[in-house]
Amino acid sequence: MTTPGHFRSSAFDPAHEPVLVREVVSLLRPRAGGFYVDATVGLGGHTAALLEAGAGRVLGVDRDEAALAVARERLASAGDRVTLLHQDYRTLPALLTEPVDGMLVDLGVSSLQLDDPERGFSFKQAGPLDMRMDRSSGATLADRLAAVDEAELADVIFRLGDERRSRRVARAIVAARDRGELGDTGDLARVVRRAAGSGRWERRDPATKTFQALRLWVNREGEGLETFLEAVAAHLSPSGRLAVIAFHSLEDRVVKHTFRRLATETETGTGIGAWQLVTRRAVQPEPDEVARNPRARSARLRVLERAA
């Protein structure tokens, strides 16, 4: 067994730097003997940082078995200080059997998923119409697109992607589907670009918002988030902290309102338990991090603490 403070992660790839890692470690304050949870462990970057900072034990869960395989290799030297499980983070309230000193929930998609065209997340490379974080279950993007009507698809693209041209994009996707022209993500991206693009040079690919919306839709991201946050907050030990990183405005809004409501209920004595905001405003990446990792630019970190 390795001793706290002497863990060093292996299989580290600088291209997979975890987002806001310095801020997460600083705000979760890992300590020897403490029990921490990485609810979306991904490639293990945040967990490695918590262990290196002295965390006693870490439970990591993730829906993506491929990501867990990388995390297991990366964290192998931690021995029994780390337990990794193939689970959806929303199952955690039923899994936890002891108080948690700190928990991280990173609601973003991992670099492994984005960079592997076979996963179907990227509009930059052709791949299957999949987009599932857990490839062992659930409907693929192809399955969802085959059954959806234009009105519902337009609503998904507008609500989850904030795409102003959602109706035009949905109409174009459904028409291409009905003509049998959606063979892979490359075909889908071309259809979306034609429908959403302005015809002028744009800083961001016109397919970005639609692909984000479709990913959220396929994986049911954000569903049950408020209920989950309330449930896991109740598992925190006194002075334990819950940190959430959101990349989408809808998810960040749920986190913000849930944390503020719990803190307000504490102040007014109308709730069960006692909570306080650690971050009054969302913590955002510093310019140097965004320069190294442009995908971090939309990250927002919020932290809630259980009062002692």
Side-chain angles (χ1 to χ4, degrees):
M1 174 179 175
T2 54
T3 56
H6 289 81
F7 167 78
R8 291 294 181 269
S9 64
S10 59
F12 175 68
D13 183 348
H16 296 151
E17 176 185 352
V19 172
L20 289 165
V21 64
R22 293 173 298 187
E23 293 82 354
V24 166
V25 170
S26 174
L27 289 165
L28 286 186
R29 308 171 302 181
R31 60 176 178 81
F35 174 50
Y36 299 84
V37 175
D38 190 340
T40 45
V41 71
L43 305 181
H46 286 112
T47 290
L50 291 172
L51 291 166
E52 289 172 0
R57 294 176 294 126
V58 179
L59 168 65
V61 304
D62 205 279
R63 292 197 276 179
D64 190 333
E65 290 182 297
L68 280 173
V70 175
R72 286 193 182 96
E73 180 182 356
R74 182 176 192 173
L75 304 169
S77 63
D80 59 6
R81 290 175 63 200
V82 175
T83 301
L84 298 178
L85 300 177
H86 178 221
Q87 293 281 346
D88 187 312
Y89 71 83
R90 284 165 286 207
T91 66
L92 270 170
L95 297 176
L96 294 173
T97 58
E98 62 180 294
V100 177
D101 296 303
M103 178 183 292
L104 170 67
V105 186
D106 181 346
L107 298 172
V109 62
S110 77
S111 297
L112 180 71
Q113 292 160 342
L114 287 172
D115 294 340
D116 181 0
E118 289 303 310
R119 301 300 300 272
F121 287 92
S122 177
F123 48 77
K124 296 180 180 179
Q125 305 176 75
L129 295 169
D130 193 330
M131 284 197 185
R132 290 173 301 167
M133 291 182 175
D134 183 353
R135 291 193 287 181
S136 67
S137 63
T140 66
L141 175 60
D143 297 330
R144 301 296 299 269
L145 289 178
V148 73
D149 62 36
E150 183 180 318
E152 181 185 356
L153 184 58
D155 177 67
V156 165
I157 294 170
F158 179 77
R159 179 169 45 86
L160 300 181
D162 195 27
E163 172 56 71
R164 293 183 295 107
R165 299 180 177 91
S166 59
R167 292 183 181 179
R168 186 192 308 175
V169 172
R171 188 180 310 118
I173 291 174
V174 169
R177 177 199 67 188
D178 293 345
R179 294 193 300 267
E181 296 176 354
L182 291 183
D184 57 28
T185 57
D187 296 331
L188 177 61
R190 284 188 288 273
V191 170
V192 174
R193 288 184 184 113
R194 285 197 298 267
S198 64
R200 301 187 301 269
W201 180 87
E202 300 179 49
R203 292 180 60 185
R204 184 162 57 174
D205 192 301
T208 302
K209 291 183 176 181
T210 296
F211 268 64
Q212 172 187 271
L214 296 176
R215 188 201 85 220
L216 292 166
W217 181 48
V218 167
N219 293 288
R220 302 182 299 107
E221 295 176 59
E223 287 186 20
L225 180 57
E226 181 176 357
T227 301
F228 165 77
L229 293 174
E230 291 179 346
V232 293
H235 283 275
L236 293 175
S237 61
S239 299
R241 291 182 169 184
L242 171 60
V244 182
I245 301 174
F247 292 80
H248 188 279
S249 60
L250 286 178
E251 291 177 331
D252 181 55
R253 196 173 304 130
V254 171
V255 177
K256 178 176 68 174
H257 290 330
T258 303
F259 283 6
R260 286 184 176 176
R261 177 171 55 77
L262 290 173
T264 299
E265 289 174 356
T266 297
E267 293 172 357
T268 59
T270 57
I272 299 175
W275 322 99
Q276 59 188 22
L277 297 175
V278 177
T279 53
R280 293 287 172 179
R281 294 182 177 180
V283 177
Q284 301 181 43
E286 295 291 340
D288 65 323
E289 178 173 358
V290 176
R292 293 193 311 272
N293 178 17
R295 290 172 180 166
R297 64 181 177 271
S298 59
R300 301 291 183 271
L301 169 64
R302 299 182 188 273
V303 182
L304 181 76
E305 178 177 303
R306 183 165 193 167

